[in-house]
Amino acid sequence: MIASEPLDVLVVGAGPTGLALAAQLHAYGVRFRIVDRHLDRARESRALAIQPRTLEALAPYGVTDDLVTRGNPAVQLRMHLPGRTVRLPLFDIGVGDTPYPFLLFLSQAETECVLGDLLTQAGSTTVERGSELLELTAEGALAVCRLKHQDGSEERVNARYVVGCDGAHSTVRDQAGIGFEGHAYPQTFLLADLEVDGLERGAAHAYMTEAGMLFFFPLGSPASWRMLAIRPPGTRDTERPVNIEQLQAIVDRYVSDRLHLRDPVWMTDFRIQNRGAKNYRAGRVFLAGDAAHIHSPAGAQGMNTGIQDALNLGWKLALVCQAAAPAALLDTYESERAPIGRNVLRFTDRAFTIATSRNPLLRLARTRVAPRLAPLVLRLPGLRGAVFRTLSQLAIHYRKSPATTEGPYPPRRGPRAGDRLPDTARNLHALTAAPGYHVLLCGPSDGWDTSLVSSAARGRDHLIHIHTLDTSGLWGPGVTHCLVRPDGYIAYRARGTDLTGLLNYLDEWLPPSEAGNHGSAPSLA
């Protein structure tokens, strides 16, 4: 068996989650490899939408513009009810603090292509395809992995950390002995990328009927539309491959409009589950994406949650591997992301149950009451904005994390420690895109103690970036300072020019190096 040089991180699985993690690790100069047992990337996919927060999180790596160019930023929903169609705007309110105020419809295959190209173009890093993890054990300060390659040869890989991004049937999770708890749904979904004649373009369409629910989403590539439907109960096609005739029969049953399906690029059926990992970490092993949580496609949360798992974990692994941060920083991954995963599981489970239940009362509420109330309720700006911020994942925060701290005199308004840094007319996201932490000194430039400012950066070269702004527009008038984490969340904030609390925070979570240099952190952008 071949034995390779020790690594910092082995990433198992090269879907969107693994690729996003690899992009961040590369940006911090971490020694890593990414392997996947499949010989090729996905050419078709189930995930089809990228939320605003995910577009923000990927922007520092220079891929978001390409994703937006390839995708369809639909901003309208057509809710088709018996006898009428309701037109609802999407993300028209509550998302004014992001450069991407829309839901981007894009095939997961395209997303993987863009992220994979990023790694290839950035350097020598490539996905090692046809490489399967067979065994994972712990030996002292290393995780020992046995890989089998396409040619049948085996390799022993020693890594400080292993991250399982290998999906619902995760080998990493099984080898680490982490439980995967939950249940399966009895319904079968039908999925297809195809052309549809007679369907209004530029919007998403939802048909809500007594017979069932049917959705069409504007893709553009590899076909104009993604069709999603639940197989009607009692049908006799369960043992046959999905074909265009089956799909047309469902459309004819559910839709009064004359819609003609043609030219399918891909068709499949599948069952879904609602399961979550008991833990996101076991020693030197971490889980992210579908390896940690799987659920229904309600709300387009799955792939987005996985990518954000990866981008929460990657910089923490990088700083710990470079001895720039204490090992305790890695403990914050589970404490921050596991509650997010549990919330997504609860939300999607409730939404799926309401959408598919055969209970007469729930069916009446779904097909008669809710469709008529929804347009009225969504006319309330505050409620509509809250719904969109939740779906867009802009509302995710880590206020209870041990790695976020409110200073002794926090501002009375604006984003709190643990909240995402909003973007403003000052382009704060572009300002804080470089790898590392960012200090924002908001107020008159002559009010800062230059010796304290210098102390913030000393011994943390390349990991601290200091920006002096006359005002941020976030916390109102007056002088404020804050620390922005590498993933775009506020780690610390306080009013005034006294940076003592900020320095204490940095000394705990990013202690100065005696050498004064932790190495460069090249950007992929």
Side-chain angles (χ1 to χ4, degrees), residues 185 187 208 213 230 298 346-359 361-367 370:
Y185 297 106
Q187 296 87 353
M208 306 178 68
M213 301 182 71
I230 297 175
R346 283 193 295 267
F347 163 74
T348 55
D349 184 51
R350 290 170 184 168
F352 183 82
T353 300
I354 293 172
T356 60
S357 175
R358 306 299 296 174
N359 180 286
L361 291 178
L362 282 180
R363 186 164 54 181
L364 177 65
R366 179 177 71 236
T367 60

Side-chain angles (χ1 to χ4, degrees), residues 17 280 288-289 292-293 304-314 333 337:
T17 299
Y280 281 31
H293 42 73
N304 293 275
T305 303
I307 290 174
Q308 291 177 57
D309 286 344
L311 298 182
N312 180 285
L313 176 61
Y333 170 65
R337 293 305 298 175

Side-chain angles (χ1 to χ4, degrees), residues 25-328:
L25 293 174
H26 183 94
Y28 281 85
V30 174
R31 296 174 303 161
F32 76 95
R33 289 168 60 182
I34 177 170
V35 300
D36 194 294
R37 64 185 179 86
H38 296 102
L39 297 178
D40 195 7
R41 66 174 178 83
R43 299 295 172 177
E44 64 281 324
S45 60
R46 295 171 188 171
L48 79 158
I50 307 180
Q51 298 287 356
R53 178 54 194 152
T54 304
L55 292 171
E56 287 182 353
L58 290 173
Y61 308 101
V63 298
T64 296
D65 288 346
D66 193 3
L67 293 171
V68 173
T69 299
R70 294 181 184 224
N72 187 335
V75 293
Q76 293 287 326
L77 171 66
R78 302 291 183 260
M79 187 179 293
H80 300 273
L81 310 173
R84 67 187 181 119
T85 296
V86 177
R87 297 170 179 261
L88 296 174
L90 291 175
F91 293 176
D92 65 319
I93 192 171
V95 291
D97 61 350
T98 176
Y100 312 103
F102 48 79
L103 181 65
L104 183 71
F105 288 100
L106 182 66
S107 167
Q108 180 182 323
E110 289 289 303
T111 302
E112 289 187 19
C113 178
V114 170
L115 292 173
D117 288 348
L118 168 66
L119 288 180
T120 301
Q121 296 164 6
S124 59
T125 303
T126 57
V127 177
E128 300 176 36
R129 296 204 172 273
S131 297
E132 181 179 5
L133 176 68
L134 298 179
E135 186 179 18
L136 170 62
T137 57
E139 291 186 11
L142 293 172
V144 179
C145 305
R146 183 161 61 93
L147 301 181
K148 182 177 181 180
H149 299 296
Q150 182 182 357
D151 61 4
S153 65
E154 294 189 3
E155 178 187 8
R156 173 188 167 116
V157 176
N158 297 328
R160 294 177 64 183
Y161 300 100
V162 176
V163 185
C165 306
D166 48 344
H169 303 289
S170 170
T171 301
V172 173
R173 187 186 62 234
D174 290 344
Q175 289 287 313
I178 299 175
F180 203 43
E181 302 170 343
H183 60 275
Y185 297 106
Q187 296 87 353
T188 301
F189 276 86
L190 300 176
L191 207 59
D193 293 343
L194 38 62
E195 303 300 322
V196 184
D197 295 330
L199 195 61
E200 178 191 357
R201 293 182 175 272
H205 296 263
Y207 291 86
M208 306 178 68
T209 71
E210 291 285 350
M213 301 182 71
L214 172 67
F215 300 90
F216 288 100
F217 302 101
L219 268 185
S221 176
S224 298
W225 295 98
R226 163 69 56 84
M227 174 181 169
L228 174 64
I230 297 175
R231 190 192 298 275
T235 56
R236 300 178 180 179
D237 298 321
T238 56
E239 301 301 324
R240 295 174 12 188
V242 180
N243 56 59
I244 193 71
E245 290 77 17
Q246 293 178 37
L247 300 179
Q248 185 67 58
I250 290 176
V251 170
D252 294 342
R253 178 178 178 180
Y254 286 10
V255 178
S256 58
D257 304 329
R258 291 189 176 182
L259 302 182
H260 176 65
L261 310 184
R262 60 179 174 83
D263 302 331
V265 175
W266 173 60
M267 298 177 290
T268 190
D269 58 359
F270 67 97
R271 301 277 293 277
I272 62 175
Q273 302 181 58
N274 185 281
R275 298 186 187 278
K278 188 174 181 180
N279 302 104
Y280 281 31
R281 179 185 185 184
R284 297 187 172 273
V285 177
F286 296 84
L287 302 178
D290 286 356
H293 42 73
I294 56 171
H295 44 80
S296 87
Q301 301 294 295
M303 181 184 71
N304 293 275
T305 303
I307 290 174
Q308 291 177 57
D309 286 344
L311 298 182
N312 180 285
L313 176 61
W315 63 273
K316 297 175 180 178
L317 284 170
L319 297 187
V320 171
C321 287
Q322 294 167 352

